[in-house]
Amino acid sequence: MADTALQILALNAFNPMASAQLSRDVAELVTRRQRSFGQASVLFYEEPLHVVAGIGTELITIDGTPYLDLYNNVPSVGHCHPRVVSAVRAQVGRLNIHSRYLFDVVHDYAEQLLATFPAPLTNVLFTCTGSESNDLALRLARLVTGGLGVVVTKTAYHGNTTAVTEVSPSSYKKGAPPAHVRTVPPPHRAYYGDDIAGGFARAVGAAITAMANDGIRFAALLVDSIFSSDGVFADPPGFLAEAAALVRAKGGLLIADEVQPGFGRTGAGHWGFARHGVVPDIVTMGKPMGNGMPIGGVVTRPDLLADFAESFGYFNTFGGNPVASAAALAVLNVIKDEDLIGNANRVGNHMMASLRDLSARHPAIGEVRGAGLYVGVDIVNRGTGRPDPAETTRLINRLRERHILIGAAGPFGATLKIRPPLCLSVGEVDRFIDALDDSAAA
Amino acid sequence: MADTALQILALNAFNPMASAQLSRDVAELVTRRQRSFGQASVLFYEEPLHVVAGIGTELITIDGTPYLDLYNNVPSVGHCHPRVVSAVRAQVGRLNIHSRYLFDVVHDYAEQLLATFPAPLTNVLFTCTGSESNDLALRLARLVTGGLGVVVTKTAYHGNTTAVTEVSPSSYKKGAPPAHVRTVPPPHRAYYGDDIAGGFARAVGAAITAMANDGIRFAALLVDSIFSSDGVFADPPGFLAEAAALVRAKGGLLIADEVQPGFGRTGAGHWGFARHGVVPDIVTMGKPMGNGMPIGGVVTRPDLLADFAESFGYFNTFGGNPVASAAALAVLNVIKDEDLIGNANRVGNHMMASLRDLSARHPAIGEVRGAGLYVGVDIVNRGTGRPDPAETTRLINRLRERHILIGAAGPFGATLKIRPPLCLSVGEVDRFIDALDDSAAA
């Protein structure tokens, strides 16, 4: 989960345009929204979009214009995928209850989901959101280790509960996380030189030592294996293994936040952690799990869950309910039947190669990073080569004019964040590349 | 939210029956469930139900038997209500995105929801669950007051996140909430004599003073206005007002957890707090809001939200998405068009009068308490008059044999907890009363 940098960007992007300049329809909705949502109202774009439909890779606005959606990683198998829609429509008219009665679909789903995980990750708890999943992961890790301390990356975002906000440095407009949360730079040669694996592990080790010196016992390293909100850092595959070994040696757990990289997005199996050859102790899931239906999950080892269950039960009223389970089961089947992992790999590689070509021609387009259909592109000042958030915002708004939706991440909001539905085609990539080429030149 | 006592009860109720005694179908599902869910698997009943459909007030098991559902307060307008089903089916095929683009249905819903609240409660934030709502309410209250301390009742349950578990004493199998959470007895003459309003307020005041003496600044009184998991305490209406005034005098906020009493269940307006003539600072919602579709909300004053927004944004990916909003809007319209608040009042009064008649004839049936269709019935030992959890479990399982589903609450799990869909009829109440009459006599 990596939305905060863009939240702030979006706020900035929206505020400048006076409502008089907006279409009457949009201005009216914005006014109604501000009245109901107050200061919590955050919108994308200088001129927000009034969306009325979604189909595959596209969102359709009220005037009938289709926009190519490269931003939204929730409808991961495509907006309103017919098989997910059918599954929801059938189930919602039949039964939708909590899981303390027996019903079939949640068990079919749990088994198919768990089959995508390596041993010993054989138990699942269902939640409704990635935030609930990460919160439960922290509860598990802290109870089992007896520690409180968590290490995260500097611009991480892991969700919105009290406990999860503490491990989301990017959420703080003022102040900083509490002392039991320590940050390390994201895995990039700018911070660690060529030995990213060793450098990252040493930084994690130093954070653990520093918290121990302050009397804080270490519980877990919590990372999103694509480091999305830090700016998307995927390479070299395997760099997490050394940090994972160190974490275990220090008595802590590795929590893999798969809310963003999970469900095939990285183009190499279902889970981002697999690219690193590690098996986490706890894996958390959310966003794309139900293609928009609220469902999240925590997968872990039975021994950790048994330890937890001695002190607490866990029950989530809507977690894994029949409608959410039916949607999520359809998502897994679509990923398999449409070879979306293979597509993410092929189309993602084509996108990254094309972006690197652009980078060679446009000084504002810097480093291209990613895996599968999770891609980051640094936007830099033509003169200084430093991150350029103003140019990033300009490009995002120019791409919107060309009917392409895209976001930003990173500490400066100066990395384009590209995470389209996994059914994206090569032709759609080329359309995006052409539009970015034009926009960067303009 | 008040499920923990029953979780424990259900565990106890389930464990005794060996799988050999279960039907083959149920035994197979239980085995699959234990394999996937591990120690987190909690089921109702000695012989769990395999449910395949829900219609109105009834759940249908795989053998075609209809069970009258007096337990489940999520499908509050009735299982698979056709108008909610239609709304979901239409929306899920059209658009389901997050709320940083503009779309209509969330604004229609927000306005109709806010119209049910008194001034100055004019802003809403959407979440996915009651737990997320209470967690956000705690974040708001703590940030705005600068305090950490929260007062709750002794057997309260408010949800399952890290922060919300701390304010849910009933969730602790071992240990107890941290020092910044203080508990007071529930509002009943057993603890406060005849002056429940004054006694409860004095207990809250003493808790605030005690935490201040320990250097903990007071943030909020968090109560579910039906005190459901404590055992259902509704009377006399208005008793909360004195505590609310004291809370404000001490610089704290009143958070009303309407996850259980809200949306008309108490038969007197939409919100449980209205029975007390108080206006909370923050109101939280969940369970029945979307009749099973995951949606929750926090309603508060614009000034509190503005203070919060200076330090943090709040974004919830699935919160108020088009499908959840469409379901929730249908729920509000059904409550109005079918006069479900009036029905809850009429049928609830008939139920409580009938239960009091039973109480006069059966020594095991003790005090009857409640408002509308949220009713609690103490089950007591015939000899000693003390709470009798074993008899409660026996009655719950006997009622199951008579195809009636019901739960328990309270510190001993010895209060029958009755919270059926709000469309319950007088005839269905009479069927329940006859079954309880028989069961209590047996």
Side-chain angles (χ1 to χ4, degrees):
Chain A
M1 306 175 77
D3 294 332
T4 305
L6 187 54
Q7 273 186 45
I8 296 162
L9 179 72
L11 263 176
N12 295 339
F14 177 65
N15 286 338
M17 186 176 271
S19 67
Q21 295 171 257
L22 298 173
S23 77
R24 187 167 169 173
D25 164 69
V26 166
E28 264 180 29
L29 269 180
V30 167
T31 302
R32 290 176 63 195
R33 182 181 174 96
Q34 288 172 337
R35 204 184 300 130
S36 296
F37 293 179
Q39 290 294 313
S41 173
V42 173
L43 283 166
F44 283 161
Y45 295 112
E46 291 170 1
E47 189 181 355
L49 269 77
H50 182 181
V51 181
V52 297
I55 307 168
T57 56
E58 295 186 325
L59 288 173
I60 319 294
T61 52
I62 193 162
D63 60 359
T65 308
Y67 285 77
L68 182 62
D69 184 2
L70 301 183
Y71 171 77
N72 194 336
N73 66 337
V74 172
S76 197
V77 302
H79 288 283
C80 299
H81 191 288
R83 286 177 66 184
V84 180
V85 170
S86 292
V88 169
R89 284 180 172 162
Q91 188 63 56
V92 76
R94 208 154 49 210
L95 179 71
N96 200 24
I97 52 170
H98 62 73
S99 62
R100 285 195 290 211
Y101 300 111
L102 295 166
F103 54 89
D104 291 296
V105 63
V106 72
H107 300 298
D108 296 342
Y109 179 58
E111 289 164 4
Q112 291 199 33
L113 178 69
L114 287 167
T116 67
F117 283 90
L121 299 172
T122 58
N123 279 172
V124 61
L125 297 102
F126 290 116
T127 69
C128 295
T129 66
S131 293
E132 286 193 341
S133 301
N134 281 324
D135 195 292
L136 177 57
L138 291 175
R139 288 186 67 197
L140 270 165
R142 285 169 171 162
L143 201 94
V144 167
T145 62
L148 183 65
V150 177
V151 177
V152 294
T153 46
K154 271 196 190 313
T155 313
Y157 178 75
H158 294 288
N160 59 31
T161 67
T162 302
V164 177
T165 297
E166 289 183 348
V167 296
S168 299
S170 71
S171 292
Y172 287 74
K173 292 185 195 172
K174 287 181 184 176
H180 59 262
V181 177
R182 301 294 163 114
T183 63
V184 295
H188 191 250
R189 64 177 186 288
Y191 307 103
Y192 302 119
D194 287 337
D195 181 17
I196 289 173
F200 188 72
R202 282 188 293 277
V204 170
I208 296 169
T209 301
M211 71 171 76
N213 291 341
D214 293 341
I216 298 162
R217 187 162 167 181
F218 175 55
L221 170 66
L222 167 60
V223 290
D224 142 17
S225 62
I226 199 80
F227 297 87
S228 46
S229 110
D230 288 288
V232 189
F233 298 96
D235 289 320
F239 73 73
L240 261 181
E242 197 167 330
L246 179 86
V247 161
R248 268 71 175 256
K250 297 285 186 183
L253 302 182
L254 174 64
I255 306 174
D257 177 348
E258 292 282 344
V259 170
Q260 298 234 39
F263 293 95
R265 180 159 291 280
T266 62
H270 278 86
W271 310 111
F273 63 76
R275 291 181 69 250
H276 290 281
V278 299
V279 178
D281 302 288
I282 306 175
V283 179
T284 61
M285 291 157 280
K287 290 191 193 295
M289 193 167 181
N291 213 46
M293 296 301 291
I295 180 169
V298 174
V299 165
T300 190
R301 308 189 325 238
D303 59 313
L304 297 184
L305 198 51
D307 280 1
F308 180 78
E310 281 179 26
S311 297
F312 291 99
Y314 183 79
F315 180 67
N316 188 310
T317 298
F318 302 134
N321 75 29
V323 172
S325 297
L329 180 59
V331 167
L332 270 193
N333 287 328
V334 170
I335 289 173
K336 184 175 65 184
D337 296 347
E338 298 185 8
D339 185 26
L340 291 183
I341 297 176
N343 194 64
N345 182 43
R346 287 184 298 273
V347 178
N349 283 337
H350 174 68
M351 184 187 287
M352 286 189 276
S354 305
L355 286 166
R356 287 184 181 120
D357 285 347
L358 277 195
S359 173
R361 292 189 286 114
H362 291 285
I365 298 181
E367 188 170 84
V368 176
R369 297 178 298 267
L373 282 172
Y374 212 124
V375 178
V377 185
D378 287 341
I379 303 303
V380 296
N381 183 280
R382 291 153 208 244
T384 64
R386 302 207 21 94
D388 192 338
E391 174 66 3
T392 311
T393 302
R394 191 188 72 84
L395 286 174
I396 289 174
N397 280 291
R398 290 306 82 76
L399 286 167
R400 178 205 181 287
E401 289 168 7
R402 289 168 171 81
H403 305 154
I404 292 174
L405 307 177
I406 198 170
F412 311 101
T415 301
L416 292 179
K417 183 173 64 171
I418 307 171
R419 40 177 203 185
L422 302 184
C423 52
L424 193 77
S425 70
V426 165
E428 287 169 327
V429 169
D430 293 344
R431 188 183 140 204
F432 160 58
I433 296 293
D434 288 348
L436 183 58
D437 196 357
D438 282 359
S439 301
Chain B
M1 305 176 79
D3 294 332
T4 304
L6 186 55
Q7 273 187 44
I8 296 162
L9 178 72
L11 264 175
N12 294 340
F14 176 66
N15 288 337
M17 185 176 272
S19 66
Q21 293 171 259
L22 298 173
S23 78
R24 187 167 171 173
D25 165 70
V26 166
E28 263 179 28
L29 269 180
V30 167
T31 301
R32 291 175 63 194
R33 182 182 174 94
Q34 287 172 338
R35 203 183 301 130
S36 297
F37 292 179
Q39 290 294 314
S41 173
V42 173
L43 283 166
F44 283 162
Y45 296 112
E46 291 170 1
E47 188 180 356
L49 269 77
H50 182 182
V51 181
V52 296
I55 306 168
T57 57
E58 294 187 324
L59 288 172
I60 319 293
T61 52
I62 192 162
D63 59 359
T65 308
Y67 285 77
L68 182 63
D69 184 2
L70 301 184
Y71 171 76
N72 195 336
N73 65 338
V74 172
S76 196
V77 300
H79 287 283
C80 300
H81 191 288
R83 287 177 66 184
V84 181
V85 170
S86 292
V88 169
R89 284 179 171 164
Q91 188 62 55
V92 76
R94 207 154 49 209
L95 179 72
N96 200 24
I97 53 170
H98 63 71
S99 62
R100 285 194 290 212
Y101 300 111
L102 294 166
F103 53 88
D104 291 296
V105 63
V106 71
H107 299 298
D108 295 341
Y109 179 58
E111 288 164 4
Q112 291 200 32
L113 178 68
L114 287 168
T116 67
F117 283 90
L121 299 171
T122 58
N123 280 172
V124 61
L125 297 102
F126 290 117
T127 70
C128 295
T129 66
S131 291
E132 286 193 341
S133 300
N134 281 324
D135 195 292
L136 176 57
L138 291 175
R139 289 186 67 197
L140 270 165
R142 284 170 171 162
L143 202 92
V144 167
T145 62
L148 182 65
V150 177
V151 177
V152 295
T153 46
K154 270 196 192 310
T155 313
Y157 179 76
H158 295 288
N160 58 31
T161 67
T162 302
V164 177
T165 297
E166 288 181 350
V167 296
S168 298
S170 71
S171 290
Y172 286 75
K173 292 185 195 172
K174 288 182 185 176
H180 59 263
V181 176
R182 302 293 163 114
T183 64
V184 296
H188 191 250
R189 65 177 186 287
Y191 307 103
Y192 302 119
D194 286 336
D195 181 16
I196 290 174
F200 189 72
R202 282 189 292 276
V204 170
I208 296 169
T209 301
M211 68 171 78
N213 291 341
D214 293 340
I216 299 162
R217 188 161 166 181
F218 175 55
L221 171 66
L222 167 60
V223 289
D224 143 16
S225 62
I226 199 81
F227 297 85
S228 46
S229 112
D230 288 288
V232 188
F233 298 96
D235 288 320
F239 72 75
L240 262 179
E242 198 167 331
L246 179 85
V247 161
R248 267 72 176 254
K250 297 285 187 181
L253 301 182
L254 175 63
I255 306 173
D257 177 348
E258 292 282 344
V259 171
Q260 298 234 41
F263 292 96
R265 180 158 293 279
T266 62
H270 278 85
W271 310 111
F273 65 76
R275 292 181 67 248
H276 291 280
V278 299
V279 178
D281 302 288
I282 305 175
V283 180
T284 63
M285 290 158 280
K287 290 190 193 294
M289 192 168 181
N291 212 47
M293 295 301 291
I295 181 168
V298 173
V299 165
T300 189
R301 309 188 326 237
D303 59 313
L304 297 184
L305 198 51
D307 281 0
F308 180 78
E310 282 179 25
S311 297
F312 291 99
Y314 184 80
F315 180 67
N316 189 308
T317 298
F318 302 135
N321 75 28
V323 173
S325 297
L329 181 59
V331 167
L332 270 193
N333 286 329
V334 170
I335 289 172
K336 184 176 64 183
D337 295 348
E338 298 185 6
D339 186 25
L340 291 182
I341 298 176
N343 194 64
N345 182 42
R346 288 184 297 272
V347 178
N349 283 336
H350 175 69
M351 184 188 286
M352 285 189 277
S354 305
L355 285 166
R356 286 183 183 120
D357 285 348
L358 277 194
S359 173
R361 290 189 286 114
H362 291 284
I365 299 180
E367 187 170 84
V368 176
R369 297 179 298 268
L373 282 172
Y374 212 125
V375 178
V377 185
D378 287 341
I379 302 302
V380 295
N381 182 281
R382 290 153 209 245
T384 64
R386 302 208 19 96
D388 191 338
E391 175 66 3
T392 311
T393 302
R394 191 189 72 83
L395 286 175
I396 288 173
N397 280 292
R398 291 306 82 77
L399 286 166
R400 178 204 181 289
E401 289 168 8
R402 288 168 172 81
H403 305 155
I404 292 173
L405 306 177
I406 198 170
F412 311 102
T415 300
L416 292 179
K417 182 173 64 172
I418 307 171
R419 40 177 203 184
L422 302 184
C423 51
L424 193 78
S425 69
V426 164
E428 288 168 326
V429 169
D430 293 344
R431 188 183 141 205
F432 159 58
I433 296 293
D434 287 349
L436 183 59
D437 197 356
D438 282 0
S439 301

